[in-house]
Amino acid sequence: MKIKSSLLGEQVIDPNSIIHFPNGIPGFEDQTRFKLFHQENNPIIFWLQSLDDELLTFSVASPALFNINYNLSLTDEEESLLALDNPDDIIVLILLHKDEDDQNQKPTIKGSIKSPLIINSAKRIGFQKVLNNVEQSITLVEHGNEIDVSEGK
């Protein structure tokens, strides 16, 4: 199957690798089919490309790379949505976004840890979970080949 992405160009993908978000992602509820891509030389950042809107690509990362470890509890409804048979099939990703720092004129990458993406890797079904008890986000600032992690405001 061929898809188009404004970021990644034309790609050939296996239809069995499509991740379905039955409810979309908040703010993009009409986008339900995505493909996860990675860059060979960058083990940190991945791209979640909408298959229905070539202009919609999210940058995502594994929170474990930043020593963020979730202890998540899923409701019965969330488990049903994910068609979850095995908890080991869960992948957790955080959405990232670029933010211009007006004071220092340095672009930073920020990720909210309050609303991770939860994906059943076996059945490729996902949703975004809003966590009420997490009060901080991370900020990633790239300096050459290093990335500093600090708490966001």
Side-chain angles (χ1 to χ4, degrees):
M1 169 179 186
K2 286 186 181 181
I3 66 161
K4 290 184 181 181
S5 165
S6 61
L7 178 68
L8 306 168
E10 189 171 290
Q11 299 288 322
V12 177
I13 66 165
D14 179 353
N16 293 322
S17 67
I18 296 171
I19 301 169
H20 295 274
F21 287 79
N23 300 324
I25 294 173
F28 303 92
E29 289 82 3
D30 61 332
Q31 302 297 310
T32 59
R33 301 180 318 137
F34 289 85
K35 168 69 176 154
L36 190 63
F37 290 95
H38 74 281
Q39 183 178 2
E40 288 182 29
N41 299 331
N42 187 347
I44 296 174
I45 307 292
F46 293 82
W47 294 283
L48 191 63
Q49 174 65 53
S50 168
L51 300 187
D52 300 311
D53 182 350
E54 68 183 71
L55 298 175
L56 182 61
T57 308
F58 295 106
S59 297
V60 297
S62 170
L65 291 172
F66 309 107
N67 294 320
I68 299 168
N69 297 303
Y70 288 100
N71 185 13
L72 295 172
S73 295
L74 298 177
T75 66
D76 290 342
E77 182 180 305
E78 291 168 339
E79 284 187 29
S80 177
L81 177 72
L82 290 174
L84 189 62
D85 296 323
N86 184 349
D88 292 335
D89 292 336
I90 290 180
I91 294 174
V92 178
L93 298 172
I94 55 175
L95 290 169
L96 305 173
H97 68 277
K98 190 181 239 183
D99 190 25
E100 297 291 334
D101 184 346
D102 293 336
Q103 295 173 351
N104 297 326
Q105 305 251 332
K106 296 183 211 173
T108 59
I109 299 174
K110 294 186 176 185
S112 173
I113 61 174
K114 292 174 77 169
S115 51
L117 298 176
I118 312 297
I119 300 170
N120 178 339
S121 63
K123 297 188 179 169
R124 289 168 299 288
I125 301 170
F127 75 99
Q128 187 172 23
K129 182 169 181 72
V130 177
L131 304 172
N132 296 322
N133 60 348
V134 178
E135 297 180 10
Q136 298 177 348
S137 63
I138 60 168
T139 301
L140 308 173
V141 181
E142 188 170 350
H143 298 286
N145 291 333
E146 298 178 11
I147 295 182
D148 295 331
V149 178
S150 61
E151 294 180 2
K153 295 180 182 177

